Amino acid sequence: MDNLKKINDLYGHNEGDKAIKAVASLMTKCTAEGGICSRFGGDEFVAVIAETDGADSFYEKVSRSIAEYNRRSKSPYDVSISCGYKAGKPKTLKEIDDLMKESDREMYTQKRKHHSRRD
């Protein structure tokens, strides 16, 4: 999630919590059945998409859902994300862990891209 610290600093931690819950809910709704969506840290979310066909559309679905949330929300800020996700059909806990780690690395790549556009 982008700008969580700014939301907390400007609008308070209750608003930050509200934003976290919104992102979590939207990402979960966009994750196909059998996928995994997880909050990794304070503002970090990753997803493992179970169906390899749905991976490309996942980020588009999440982006559209967030845009719609921002249009309808009465919040004084917009939520946005830098999301890491990977597609796969893990069969073991190790495979799940590996995909989650790859998703986390991808999230940091996306975050760097978003920060470079704002600078």
Side-chain angles (χ1 to χ4, degrees):
M1 188 177 148
D2 299 329
N3 300 315
L4 178 59
K5 181 176 178 357
K6 185 176 180 180
I7 292 169
N8 282 335
D9 290 349
L10 291 174
Y11 305 105
H13 288 272
N14 285 338
E15 282 297 316
D17 289 347
K18 178 180 161 188
I20 288 168
K21 289 175 186 174
V23 169
S25 175
L26 295 168
M27 285 185 66
T28 300
K29 287 177 185 173
C30 294
T31 303
E33 187 174 325
I36 299 168
C37 180
S38 175
R39 182 175 173 206
F40 249 35
D43 64 350
E44 298 174 8
F45 293 85
V46 295
V48 173
I49 309 305
E51 296 184 24
T52 55
D53 295 345
D56 291 334
S57 66
F58 171 74
Y59 190 74
E60 293 169 18
K61 287 180 196 174
V62 172
S63 296
R64 281 194 306 268
S65 294
I66 287 175
E68 182 63 24
Y69 172 83
N70 286 332
R71 275 193 295 278
R72 292 178 183 221
S73 172
K74 294 184 174 146
S75 299
Y77 55 84
D78 284 344
V79 296
S80 63
I81 63 167
S82 299
C83 179
Y85 61 95
K86 288 293 176 183
K89 295 184 180 181
K91 293 177 179 48
T92 66
L93 290 176
K94 169 121 175 59
E95 290 173 348
I96 292 171
D97 189 52
D98 289 345
L99 284 170
M100 295 296 272
K101 286 177 183 173
E102 289 177 39
S103 297
D104 191 46
R105 284 191 291 274
E106 177 67 21
M107 182 269 306
Y108 277 105
T109 299
Q110 293 300 321
K111 196 171 238 183
R112 282 190 297 275
K113 286 180 185 177
H114 287 168
H115 283 290
S116 69
R117 281 188 227 141
R118 288 190 300 232
D119 295 338

